[in-house]
Amino acid sequence: MYVQSASATLTPQGRAIRNASIRFGDGETLPFRTCKKGYIPVVNGRHMYVCYLHHKQREERVKKEGDSFRRGELDLCATFWKDDAADGSQNNKRRVASAQHVG
């Protein structure tokens, strides 16, 4: 028997997990385990793509796909790193520009 957790509507993480279960699973469970590690967008000046355990994998995938995020993924450039684009860095400008074109 499936019983929805109270946190599925009360906390941002709960809502995100609930939305993912609807999008990728049967609406009740996910077909994969969710990571419980915390995400910090910038650590020691370095942009983090996900938690420290999965960062390298996702960073490689994003760079391989032209510094763009997949449909449905949170645009980290526009959400967390937008202030970095103001520093004049070409790399950051390219990331922000490419992220804006992802649908």
Side-chain angles (χ1 to χ4, degrees), residues 6-100:
S7 67
T9 56
L10 297 177
T11 67
Q13 182 181 17
R15 287 190 296 271
I17 292 171
R18 176 72 179 134
N19 290 340
S21 72
I22 292 169
R23 290 180 60 201
F24 304 111
D26 60 8
E28 297 180 356
T29 59
L30 289 171
F32 51 86
R33 294 183 188 167
T34 58
C35 178
K36 303 291 192 231
K37 302 298 179 199
Y39 170 63
I40 302 171
V42 180
V43 176
N44 296 326
R46 181 177 177 199
H47 291 168
M48 298 296 289
Y49 287 80
V50 287
C51 74
Y52 67 92
L53 291 176
H54 301 103
H55 169 76
K56 186 175 179 179
Q57 288 175 299
R58 186 168 188 210
E59 180 182 36
E60 289 173 356
R61 197 253 314 148
V62 168
K63 288 179 186 269
K64 180 180 172 186
E65 295 178 359
D67 284 335
S68 61
F69 298 96
R70 293 179 179 169
R71 184 177 178 161
E73 286 184 330
L74 180 64
D75 180 347
L76 299 175
C77 297
T79 306
F80 296 116
W81 306 334
K82 59 186 168 198
D83 294 336
D84 292 345
D87 71 4
S89 165
Q90 287 297 343
N91 189 35
N92 286 327
K93 285 182 181 179
R94 184 171 50 85
R95 280 189 182 152
V96 170
S98 68
Q100 290 172 346

